[in-house]
Amino acid sequence: MEMTQNKILLIHPLGYPEDRAGEDISRKANIMPPLGLASIAAYLEQFEIQADIIDCYAHPFSDDLITAYITKEAPSFVGFSCTTATFLDGVRIAGQIKKIRTEIQIVFGGVHVSALKNKIIDRYPVIDYVVVGEGEHTLHRLLTAAPNEKAGIKNLVLRSESGKAVFTGFRKKQIDLDTLPFPAYEKLFGFPNAYKLPIFNYPSVPNASCISSRGCPYACSYCDRSVFRRTFRYNSARYLYHHLKYLNDEYGIRHINFYDDQFTFNRKRVEQFAGLMIEKPLRMTFNCAARAEHLDAPLLDLMKKAGCLEMIARKVELIKEAGIRVKGLLMLGLPGETRQSIQKSKTYVNSLKLDDFNLAKFTPFPGSPIYDQIQKKGPVMGNFDENWEKMDCMQFVFVPKGMTKSEMDEEFITFYKTHFMKPKVWLNYVSMLWKSPDSWKRFLKDMFGFLRFAFADKRR
Ligand code: SF4
């Protein structure tokens, strides 16, 4: 069978062997749809390019499905979207695909390859192209350009005739997000029920995630912004309102988790969006993340009226006064961390009236400013075991100087234990019985796994 031009399969890898997925507490707590791939699929389909998605994270036993698709559909391209932790699993699947049809072009995108660019093409012969940054335009050009035009496509790393990797440079003009179609949710098998928002973070089902902006103007040392770089673009309030309405009309979605890095960065947009939600209610609620400086009492009041239930911020008191639940996003183990600094953080976090928190283990991702510093300074900053498959923020691959890995693990467990031993915290979870009954159902179903994670730090 000949390969079909104008057809691409997009794959979201699981990141580890499929038989371990059933016990993975991280998947039980949260399965996020691959919205980037769904957006690319919707974009390509406008140009009559068939784009299908196989999400191995939501559907772990997908290897056979991929093989069957490649054999039957014979797409000309297969694209992968990977984080650092899932990259090598993507390479494994790409190898299997090439074994079935060597002529298929393999393209990788996402944060990890955007940061490492040429190194990826030089080190992994199975990969033909790397898309640097957002994928819509670049993939469209790649799929439709003649072979001799490919070197002229911006935001691409390809292999030259001599076999060396060449980066074509950045495109000057970035995508106006309001010109993009809504993500192709219909391409995500089982949407919305196959996906799960973070447990205890939503009041009702069915629910979904949504990304309404790209980029972040800040420069936190541990954050890799290789995909959208230091820009900030966003959907208008009107587009956003219609996107939510579409999700509500088509899929009955009742709660949205805004996955934006900086949902409240543009105050006017949030005011207009909240205004629309109050004026023409969709009977939907939402939660989002924000930096403290982009919050104040009037804005919080407005967001509460518009249906906002949860925020992440330091202005905890202010948020609570507005009647919104608060979740803290914390990170442990940055360079310079000591027993004393951890104790201080613990005392501080305990003094806040957080309803919930998430503690990540600091991971120096390629592309983050701190990764370069750690590479340069080496053991002066700490010990870094750069094992990509372990870099999922749930393992201490970096141990700050003066600490050992077992001390860091111990501190991590006591951090959670201190929080979960507080009767107030449990009362709060009990109150979620009627605020988020579905979360309780999920908790009871996998209670042993959740408790094992909270008290013993065991992901599987
Ligand atoms: S951590 Fe958040 S605020 Fe900091 S650069 Fe990354 S996205 Fe922006």
Side-chain angles (χ1 to χ4, degrees):
M1 186 180 180
E2 269 196 24
M3 281 199 309
T4 318
Q5 289 300 330
N6 288 347
K7 189 183 280 189
I8 184 169
L9 172 65
L10 300 166
I11 298 178
H12 182 219
L14 172 64
Y16 51 80
E18 50 196 25
D19 54 358
R20 280 157 59 192
E23 289 306 308
D24 181 6
I25 201 64
S26 177
R27 276 187 75 256
K28 285 176 181 170
N30 183 16
I31 300 180
M32 161 125 183
L35 292 175
L37 291 184
S39 175
I40 288 170
Y43 186 82
L44 294 177
E45 294 255 335
Q46 293 182 127
F47 302 98
E48 288 172 16
I49 295 170
Q50 187 185 329
D52 292 312
I53 301 174
I54 295 184
D55 180 2
C56 308
Y57 196 77
H59 308 285
F61 292 90
S62 289
D63 274 16
D64 291 346
L65 189 63
I66 293 170
T67 304
Y69 185 98
I70 297 297
T71 314
K72 182 162 174 271
E73 300 287 332
S76 48
F77 277 81
V78 175
F80 288 83
S81 170
C82 297
T83 60
T84 300
T86 61
F87 172 73
L88 291 175
D89 193 31
V91 170
R92 177 191 66 80
I93 300 170
Q96 285 183 358
I97 290 170
K98 285 273 194 186
K99 269 191 210 148
I100 305 169
R101 289 184 183 276
T102 41
E103 62 283 24
I104 287 182
Q105 304 282 288
I106 300 285
V107 48
F108 270 58
V111 64
H112 183 72
V113 298
S114 292
L116 293 174
K117 301 185 186 70
N118 295 28
K119 286 183 190 152
I120 297 291
I121 292 291
D122 283 336
R123 282 189 209 160
Y124 297 92
V126 77
I127 302 176
D128 297 298
Y129 301 99
V130 161
V131 169
V132 178
E134 53 196 351
E136 287 90 351
H137 276 173
T138 313
L139 270 179
H140 174 229
R141 295 269 291 117
L142 186 62
L143 265 90
T144 51
N148 63 349
E149 292 170 351
K150 295 206 185 343
I153 303 171
K154 293 288 181 202
N155 287 38
L156 196 67
V157 186
L158 39 77
R159 205 168 271 111
S160 68
E161 273 176 22
S162 69
K164 273 216 76 59
V166 179
F167 175 46
T168 56
F170 289 109
R171 186 182 306 113
K172 284 202 185 93
K173 203 167 169 271
Q174 286 176 311
I175 297 173
D176 170 354
L177 300 191
D178 273 10
T179 63
L180 290 178
F182 300 146
Y185 298 101
E186 70 281 6
K187 301 268 178 185
L188 299 172
F189 181 72
F191 179 86
N193 296 331
Y195 295 92
K196 293 179 170 64
L197 289 191
I199 192 163
F200 292 116
N201 279 215
Y202 60 90
S204 45
V205 282
N207 48 44
S209 294
C210 176
I211 300 176
S212 72
S213 61
R214 290 182 178 179
C216 171
Y218 295 100
C220 300
S221 63
Y222 49 83
C223 187
D224 176 5
R225 288 162 307 128
S226 305
V227 172
F228 301 126
R229 302 159 75 208
R230 213 168 158 179
T231 59
F232 183 71
R233 286 162 293 141
Y234 48 86
N235 285 129
S236 64
R238 193 157 289 281
Y239 181 102
L240 194 50
Y241 178 83
H242 285 291
H243 191 168
L244 263 56
K245 186 167 179 338
Y246 171 79
L247 283 166
N248 187 256
D249 290 346
E250 293 295 315
Y251 297 99
I253 298 296
R254 294 169 61 204
H255 179 82
I256 287 288
N257 170 42
F258 284 114
Y259 208 70
D260 300 56
D261 291 327
Q262 296 298 334
F263 185 73
T264 57
F265 187 74
N266 185 303
R267 186 194 173 97
K268 203 158 173 232
R269 174 180 90 120
V270 182
E271 282 174 353
Q272 284 171 350
F273 167 67
L276 284 169
M277 293 289 277
I278 296 165
E279 213 178 288
K280 295 181 272 181
L282 297 175
R283 286 186 295 131
M284 290 170 85
T285 51
F286 63 91
N287 68 291
C288 63
R291 270 176 81 108
E293 65 261 43
H294 298 303
L295 291 174
D296 53 47
L299 190 66
L300 286 165
D301 275 347
L302 195 62
M303 290 173 72
K304 171 69 181 169
K305 280 191 201 120
C308 180
L309 288 174
E310 306 205 35
M311 297 289 297
I312 302 161
R314 279 213 245 109
K315 292 187 180 172
V316 176
E317 292 286 341
L318 200 59
I319 304 172
K320 304 260 326 169
E321 273 168 31
I324 297 172
R325 280 175 54 81
V326 197
K327 176 173 180 174
L329 281 188
L330 317 169
M331 191 181 284
L332 199 69
L334 275 114
E337 191 89 272
T338 58
R339 286 249 193 217
Q340 289 80 354
S341 68
I342 295 171
Q343 187 49 48
K344 251 174 131 179
S345 308
K346 231 184 284 172
T347 313
Y348 177 64
V349 170
N350 277 323
S351 73
L352 299 172
K353 290 183 189 154
L354 291 177
D355 295 298
D356 195 1
F357 76 82
N358 186 351
L359 187 60
K361 296 177 179 175
F362 164 68
T363 305
F365 288 109
S368 62
I370 210 159
Y371 173 87
D372 294 334
Q373 280 182 36
I374 290 173
Q375 291 280 359
K376 234 183 263 159
K377 296 191 179 157
V380 180
M381 293 180 92
N383 273 329
F384 178 29
D385 167 23
E386 193 177 344
N387 180 340
W388 291 346
E389 281 170 304
K390 287 187 184 167
M391 288 166 70
D392 55 5
C393 296
M394 296 184 82
Q395 313 186 53
F396 284 113
V397 288
F398 174 83
V399 178
K401 190 170 186 277
M403 299 286 290
T404 63
K405 185 168 176 309
S406 56
E407 281 171 342
M408 289 306 300
D409 285 331
E410 194 188 302
E411 291 289 359
F412 182 87
I413 292 171
T414 46
F415 215 115
Y416 264 108
K417 265 191 190 163
T418 323
H419 176 73
F420 285 114
M421 298 300 259
K422 289 193 288 195
K424 247 180 26 201
V425 169
W426 280 101
L427 276 176
N428 198 300
Y429 281 114
V430 171
S431 78
M432 293 302 283
L433 256 177
W434 53 94
K435 287 183 192 153
S436 179
D438 186 71
S439 288
W440 265 96
K441 259 192 249 160
R442 283 169 62 195
F443 177 73
L444 291 174
K445 194 164 160 243
D446 289 302
M447 186 163 69
F448 181 67
F450 285 117
L451 292 176
R452 195 178 47 181
F453 176 73
F455 290 102
D457 185 25
K458 294 265 185 296
R459 180 175 175 182
R460 293 187 188 93

